[in-house]
Amino acid sequence: MELENRGNPGKGLTAENLTIALALAPGSKIVGGTGVGYQGVRNDSELKSEAAIWQLPSIAPKEKQTFTLTVSGSGGKPADIFKGSVVRWTKPEIHKTIPNLALRDPEMPGKDPYFVVAFPVIR
């Protein structure tokens, strides 16, 4: 997996205190993970499932980080193994200027801003 802050250098914002949470389908087992800040597998209360976790202090505009995860088990189809995964950060905060503007999926738990993580199917 590759994570990139697509902001423009000098104009974009540095995301701080990031957590990458790859939700694991039941029956999936993690054999190993790499990348800056890999924490291992633990229960993620917001995802309500086990998740592989990475924590990064920051990612600057145009910076890219690469992470790998080796998975075994019977967790289902490749497209479903990490369904519901997210990237969260605490700074910069997203301030709503329009009342009732939804900056996130209201079906997802938690209060931090996030991006949904989608993975290509590798066969």
Side-chain angles (χ1 to χ4, degrees):
M1 165 180 75
E2 188 172 85
L3 177 69
E4 177 183 6
N5 179 342
R6 293 192 177 192
N8 293 321
K11 294 183 182 181
L13 299 172
T14 297
E16 297 179 37
N17 303 317
L18 291 98
T19 299
I20 301 168
L22 296 184
L24 302 175
S28 299
K29 292 185 180 187
I30 301 304
V31 176
T34 66
V36 174
Y38 180 63
Q39 304 290 307
V41 175
R42 67 177 185 233
N43 187 34
D44 185 290
S45 60
E46 289 185 32
L47 295 177
K48 297 181 180 168
S49 74
E50 292 287 303
I53 304 290
W54 286 263
Q55 293 183 315
L56 291 84
S58 65
I59 186 166
K62 292 295 181 208
E63 181 180 351
K64 291 181 184 180
Q65 294 281 338
T66 301
F67 310 93
T68 62
L69 197 62
T70 305
V71 181
S72 70
S74 59
K77 296 181 280 185
D80 294 334
I81 292 175
F82 302 118
K83 193 172 187 174
S85 298
V86 297
V87 176
R88 303 178 190 108
W89 65 94
T90 59
K91 292 181 183 180
E93 291 182 58
I94 297 176
H95 296 285
K96 296 194 314 184
T97 57
I98 300 171
N100 302 318
L101 174 65
L103 297 174
R104 52 182 276 116
D105 182 348
E107 298 297 315
M108 293 295 292
K111 60 181 175 41
D112 292 331
Y114 72 92
F115 281 107
V116 174
V117 179
F119 297 92
V121 175
I122 300 172
R123 295 173 198 235

